[in-house]
Amino acid sequence: MSALQRSEAIRRARLLDVRSYTVDLDLDRGEEVFGSTTVIRFGCAEPGADTFVQLEAAGFRRAELNGRPLDPGALAGHRLALDGLAAENELLVEAELPYSNTGEGLHRFTDPADGAGYVYATLGPDLAPRLFACFDQPDLKAPFTLTATAPADWTVVANGAPAEHRDGRWAFHPTEAISTYLVTVVAGPLHSVRAEHDGIPLALHARRSLAAELDREAPEIFEVTRDSLDRLHQLFDRRYPFGEYHQAFVPEFNWGAMENPGCVVYRDELLFRSAPTDADRELRAMIVCHEMAHMWFGDLVTMRWWDDLWLNESFAEMLGYRVAAESTRFTGAWTGFAARRKGWGYDADQRASTHPVAGNGTQSVAEAMGNFDGISYAKGASALRQLVAWLGDEAFFAGVNRYFERHAFGNAELADFLAALAETSGRDVRAWADAWLGTSGVDTLRLEVRVEGDTITAVEVVNDGTRPHRIHLGVHDLHGSGPRATVRRRADLPVELGPGARVEVPELAGAGRAALLVPNDGDLSWAKIRLDEDSWRTVTGSLSAIEDELTRAVLWEHARDLVRDGELPPAGYLDLVAAHLPAESAVAAVEAVLAFARTEAIGRYLTPGDRPAALALLGRTADALLTRPGAGHSLRLAALRGAVQSADAPADLERLRDWLAGTGLPEGLDLSPDLRWAALAVLAARGATDETAIAGELDRDRSDAAEQGAARARAALPEPAAKERAWAALFEAGTSNRLLAATADGFWRSGTEELTAEYVRRYFEAVPVGGRRGDRVAAVLGHSLFPRDRATDEVVAATEACLRRPEPTPALRRSLADELDDLRRTVRVRRLQAPGLQTPGR
Ligand SMILES: [Zn+2]
């Protein structure tokens, strides 16, 4: 196994000019392997030179370079040496490749609902050689022509538009020049829905057992697709460049979606087998817009190398939220960004593994996946919002369009984007980029307020950081008192802050005292905030009375940040949640707050002994939201999910059992399949259900989601035999990506101190080697299965020792290092709460 190094990619790109790929796949060879025959035509700048092609074959049949046979035995480390190149070359490679069950390469899935088989390819930084022989690096682009053989009842979809199909043979038109990581094929007895918009053929596909869900969701997905296409066609000079626009919803997908040109692939949970909230729908709309933005940012113009991943993801992230907010019915999308997306990035930006937005330092494709993180997405998008706030829309999109024009169907780097932007804007964008894209870490913007009586004498905003910020300072007043009080915006003052600056806000000198001042109100920047005392008092007393939902989202995130920094005890956070979440109306904020309260504030920062009382309080909070007069369906569904997940006391578990039996459910709600499985996992962890009940539920529900739900519940059972079976599934090859993740999710939920201590020890013995089964397995074992609630010095030391061992792959190392960071933070936060130690006021 030899991961491609950047230096090798640079050399190969100088040497080769790939003219075309022709790939023929045989998907009708049973469930283990498929046939892959590739013809690559390519030029070579230095005839006589040598290079290598990549392939991960199970059986290697034949290879010929310019008609000369190559020795199949020479394939080593997934590389086949090619020597004596001519000026123009033709390489033929015929091989048999294994299907994957980890969502990496050509994934094969058998639907337990009806036994039907499906395959789809998802490639990413280093997986294309699991589908076809190729020069796998983003800057060797070429047109790609696919043919395929498939079982008679299958439909095959790919990047190119379908050309013809007869008797199980499928042919597709050549694509434009695309990168190898963007190639896909999706096949099986698919259910499809077609439409057309603005001359572009549209299609949606899903497996047969989700036909009803696809038919139900198609109108909304098409509506968002059309809205997004129209908006991007307004913003960009160049129309959608890849012919037809197919969107396939596939099983066991590792990410949210993948932007393959002409054929976007989504996780099929986005078809909502279980009832969704509006926030779930909003998130899906954002993903649809995000993937479409990639057709330009990533697919038309592609980063030259993985260290410029931001050129793909930061732009798609920013446009995903922006287009959803301004052109679809999901006008509150930025609230979701503030409430539940940015935290992912803020956390990443405060770990040792943080990196600049641009130039993330990737030297080898083995490290590339680690940087698909909250920095490349959420922080990059925030940086671009700052750029737009500074330059204005017109100059920004003029630069974007020049960038597309100059690099269409090619590759680019940070400097190329800045050059285009500098030309069209006439501004010093490089200095801006140095500060915003070339540095790591989070700035803190804090307030210093002086008052005399009812009058403000001075307000200063202090930038304790290294970047310039263009923000708004929100000034809010409290009107009325008690439950009818509202906190209403008085003014929204633009503030420009240089690096390290202390800026006085002249508009407020001599003004009446305000109840609440919020730096970065409107959430235009990337920064932690610290409030003055009066403002924090208003937050604790009246957070839910603030009229603006985006302001509330910024403040919920602020409270989360205070907990993580040890400035607000978890109990104080839970009090804030109990006081204000029942009146919150932004569903995305409700979901984010309930999740953080349960898994982090309680599950991580509180010690086990303090958890039952905290879970009881959180359960009462969810109940209060559930029974709030006038609360809409989405809010109540979010609350129901919270109530299920936080059930802990015997009476609450009894209620869960009633709900599962169909009695006593809150008016107008029922337990959808996913919630039934969530409830069973909670009951299992408390020893309040058993294998008979789990098997009975599997009889009712034959889906793959049910199999995952059963795996989670079984792993959660507090019985030695159940733990041992789960452990075997986790550390033996063969378990699919989703069953692995579900088992990991259930594992630590239960067990006596003695039982779990034993597995903590075994974890650190087994994970360095167990995590060598690919990036996905490494992510599950190194992240999902990490014993994160065991925040002791011993576990910190064991993780450090594990990282000193030679076995962990770069992907596993990154997961473990990030968990270690979080564990140290947990130890710090817990120490601050220990009896006898003073805890800060907020
Ligand atoms: Zn993306």
Side-chain angles (χ1 to χ4, degrees):
M1 182 70 181
S2 26
L4 187 73
Q5 303 296 307
R6 181 180 202 173
S7 53
E8 295 177 309
I10 290 171
R11 179 171 185 278
R12 199 161 59 171
R14 280 202 198 112
L15 196 64
L16 305 187
D17 192 351
V18 185
R19 315 277 186 230
S20 68
Y21 282 96
T22 308
V23 175
D24 182 61
L25 297 177
D26 184 356
L27 307 174
D28 201 11
R29 292 188 188 176
E31 299 186 3
E32 302 298 321
V33 295
F34 61 98
S36 171
T37 302
T38 307
V39 175
I40 314 176
R41 295 190 176 83
F42 61 101
C44 174
E46 298 168 26
D50 57 356
T51 187
F52 58 92
V53 70
Q54 292 148 280
L55 179 71
E56 296 193 29
F60 188 18
R61 299 264 169 99
R62 187 159 69 104
E64 288 177 13
L65 177 62
N66 302 325
R68 167 167 60 94
L70 302 174
D71 173 16
L75 183 71
H78 305 143
R79 295 175 175 202
L80 181 65
L82 307 174
D83 57 358
L85 295 177
E88 290 299 326
N89 300 274
E90 183 174 301
L91 174 70
L92 165 78
V93 177
E94 194 182 321
E96 203 151 65
L97 279 69
Y99 288 113
S100 121
N101 72 347
T102 60
E104 297 163 303
L106 191 58
H107 183 90
R108 187 174 173 104
F109 169 79
T110 301
D111 193 339
D114 58 7
Y118 297 88
V119 303
Y120 62 87
T122 178
L123 303 183
D126 60 348
L127 298 170
R130 295 196 191 182
L131 185 68
F132 62 110
C134 56
F135 304 113
D136 190 19
Q137 60 188 70
D139 59 345
L140 284 174
K141 287 185 168 188
F144 180 90
T145 307
L146 180 76
T147 50
T149 303
D153 62 335
W154 282 23
T155 299
V156 183
V157 202
N159 303 92
E164 61 177 23
H165 69 98
R166 193 185 313 150
D167 304 330
R169 281 290 294 163
W170 294 75
F172 297 85
H173 290 290
T175 67
E176 298 281 357
I178 60 175
S179 301
T180 46
Y181 78 93
L182 292 169
V183 170
T184 195
V185 58
V186 179
L190 298 169
H191 177 69
S192 305
V193 184
R194 290 168 203 282
E196 199 231 50
H197 181 63
D198 194 10
I200 299 168
L202 307 176
L204 306 176
H205 311 277
R207 57 188 149 125
R208 204 164 52 190
S209 66
L210 290 176
E213 284 80 359
L214 184 68
D215 288 344
R216 187 192 63 211
E217 297 300 318
E220 179 167 298
I221 297 168
F222 277 140
E223 184 185 312
V224 172
T225 301
R226 292 185 185 105
D227 291 344
S228 180
L229 256 180
D230 288 347
R231 183 63 180 139
L232 294 178
H233 281 161
Q234 285 168 4
L235 294 172
F236 303 152
D237 294 343
R238 188 179 275 267
R239 273 175 63 84
Y240 169 67
F242 295 106
E244 302 192 358
Y245 197 69
H246 292 248
Q247 298 176 89
F249 294 80
V250 303
E252 299 190 318
F253 194 65
N254 286 331
W255 312 325
M258 177 67 203
E259 67 270 20
N260 314 297
C263 187
V264 176
V265 170
Y266 298 84
R267 59 168 51 213
D268 65 17
E269 286 84 351
L270 291 171
L271 293 177
F272 306 137
R273 199 175 74 104
S274 292
T277 63
D278 278 346
D280 296 330
R281 293 188 173 282
E282 177 185 278
L283 186 65
R284 180 177 69 187
M286 182 282 289
I287 296 172
V288 168
C289 296
H290 174 117
E291 302 310 321
M292 193 180 289
H294 270 313
M295 296 299 132
W296 287 262
F297 284 107
D299 296 1
L300 176 67
V301 181
T302 310
M303 71 214 151
R304 182 166 304 289
W305 178 249
W306 297 99
D307 70 330
D308 263 322
L309 180 65
W310 79 287
L311 284 174
N312 288 14
E313 295 306 343
S314 303
F315 288 84
E317 174 94 345
M318 186 271 282
L319 285 167
Y321 281 98
R322 178 170 165 167
V323 171
E326 67 189 18
S327 305
T328 75
R329 75 177 174 89
F330 300 99
T331 53
W334 287 118
T335 302
F337 183 69
R340 65 177 179 185
R341 190 73 161 181
K342 284 182 85 179
W344 175 41
Y346 285 134
D347 296 358
D349 210 11
Q350 295 174 78
R351 294 194 186 106
S353 63
T354 184
H355 54 80
V357 170
N360 59 42
T362 299
Q363 288 303 320
S364 142
V365 290
E367 303 156 18
M369 271 315 291
N371 293 321
F372 282 76
D373 59 13
I375 297 169
S376 302
Y377 287 74
K379 183 180 182 182
S382 298
L384 290 173
R385 292 187 86 194
Q386 277 290 295
L387 182 59
V388 173
W390 179 48
L391 294 179
D393 251 10
E394 201 177 321
F396 176 78
F397 284 105
V400 160
N401 280 313
R402 183 159 300 185
Y403 168 79
F404 289 152
E405 220 34 65
R406 196 166 285 164
H407 305 286
F409 303 110
N411 297 81
E413 300 173 349
L414 167 65
D416 299 316
F417 177 68
L418 295 181
L421 205 57
E423 285 168 26
T424 56
S425 71
R427 308 282 283 273
D428 182 9
V429 292
R430 287 178 186 85
W432 178 90
D434 286 347
W436 268 98
L437 305 176
T439 59
S440 57
V442 191
D443 294 350
T444 299
L445 309 180
R446 67 190 162 80
L447 280 179
E448 288 185 11
V449 180
R450 286 192 294 281
V451 292
E452 263 175 37
D454 285 338
T455 305
I456 295 174
T457 52
V459 171
E460 286 182 324
V461 188
V462 183
N463 176 5
D464 286 336
T466 58
R467 305 184 184 100
H469 293 265
R470 293 186 148 240
I471 59 163
H472 288 248
L473 176 66
V475 185
H476 302 257
D477 295 318
L478 181 64
H479 298 268
S481 60
R484 305 178 81 97
T486 59
V487 178
R488 201 169 300 150
R489 187 185 307 281
R490 182 202 307 174
D492 208 16
L493 305 173
V495 178
E496 274 191 51
L497 290 157
R502 167 182 289 272
V503 171
E504 183 154 349
V505 185
E507 295 92 330
L508 289 175
R513 204 162 160 167
L516 175 66
L517 298 170
V518 184
N520 198 25
D521 205 353
D523 202 31
L524 272 183
S525 198
W526 180 259
K528 291 149 91 82
I529 57 171
R530 289 296 181 265
L531 306 179
D532 64 292
E533 271 178 38
D534 280 358
S535 293
W536 179 250
R537 202 171 302 120
T538 302
V539 171
T540 55
S542 309
L543 173 53
S544 51
I546 298 169
E547 284 185 339
D548 188 306
E549 71 168 35
L550 187 50
T551 304
R552 294 197 305 276
V554 167
L555 292 168
W556 281 119
E557 167 56 32
H558 170 54
R560 195 191 77 94
D561 178 43
L562 291 176
V563 174
R564 286 173 36 85
D565 281 358
E567 295 176 42
L568 174 66
Y573 179 84
L574 294 168
D575 287 344
L576 186 74
V577 173
H580 297 294
L581 202 69
E584 178 58 66
S585 60
V587 183
V590 166
E591 291 181 344
V593 170
L594 285 174
F596 178 76
R598 182 173 55 81
T599 63
E600 301 292 304
I602 298 175
R604 191 190 280 272
Y605 296 120
L606 285 185
T607 51
D610 290 334
R611 287 177 197 160
L615 282 169
L617 176 62
L618 190 62
R620 289 197 297 277
T621 305
D623 279 356
L625 186 55
L626 203 47
T627 54
R628 182 177 111 198
H633 182 266
S634 284
L635 273 175
R636 297 182 70 234
L637 179 53
L640 181 66
R641 291 175 181 171
V644 167
Q645 294 282 9
S646 56
D648 182 58
D652 292 335
L653 298 177
E654 193 53 45
R655 185 171 70 163
L656 275 198
R657 273 197 295 264
D658 288 345
W659 287 353
L660 278 168
T663 58
L665 273 155
E667 177 80 33
L669 292 172
D670 54 28
L671 286 193
S672 58
D674 290 356
L675 261 179
R676 294 185 65 84
W677 284 110
L680 264 180
V682 169
L683 291 171
R686 280 20 176 222
T689 190
D690 57 16
E691 173 56 34
T692 310
I694 296 169
E697 191 66 24
L698 261 182
D699 274 342
R700 296 170 48 123
D701 183 354
R702 300 274 181 182
S703 67
D704 54 318
E707 292 190 337
Q708 294 157 29
R712 180 180 297 106
R714 283 170 173 152
L717 287 170
E719 297 158 12
K723 293 289 178 218
E724 204 48 40
R725 272 194 299 275
W727 199 256
L730 287 162
F731 285 96
E732 282 168 14
T735 308
S736 78
N737 53 338
R738 280 301 166 79
L739 288 176
L740 198 72
T743 306
D745 183 30
F747 191 83
W748 297 112
R749 293 189 184 199
S750 68
T752 61
E753 194 86 332
E754 195 186 7
L755 179 70
T756 51
E758 165 72 6
Y759 281 103
V760 171
R761 185 185 59 73
R762 286 173 66 182
Y763 175 82
F764 289 107
E765 280 172 17
V767 79
V769 175
R772 296 180 67 84
R773 295 173 359 232
D775 284 5
R776 173 47 42 177
V777 174
V780 173
L781 297 184
H783 172 65
S784 312
L785 189 66
F786 189 85
R788 67 174 55 86
D789 67 338
R790 271 58 171 185
T792 61
D793 292 336
E794 290 74 34
V795 175
V796 168
T799 313
E800 289 166 345
C802 200
L803 281 164
R804 285 193 295 272
R805 289 175 56 166
E807 298 96 336
T809 59
L812 180 63
R813 215 166 265 287
R814 174 71 183 265
S815 287
L816 290 174
D818 286 351
E819 290 297 336
L820 176 60
D821 249 19
D822 292 355
L823 203 61
R824 288 180 176 142
R825 181 182 283 269
T826 308
V827 171
R828 271 199 312 274
V829 169
R830 283 195 193 174
R831 269 200 193 119
L832 285 171
Q833 305 161 57
L837 282 176
Q838 202 187 353
T839 52
R842 58 173 166 89

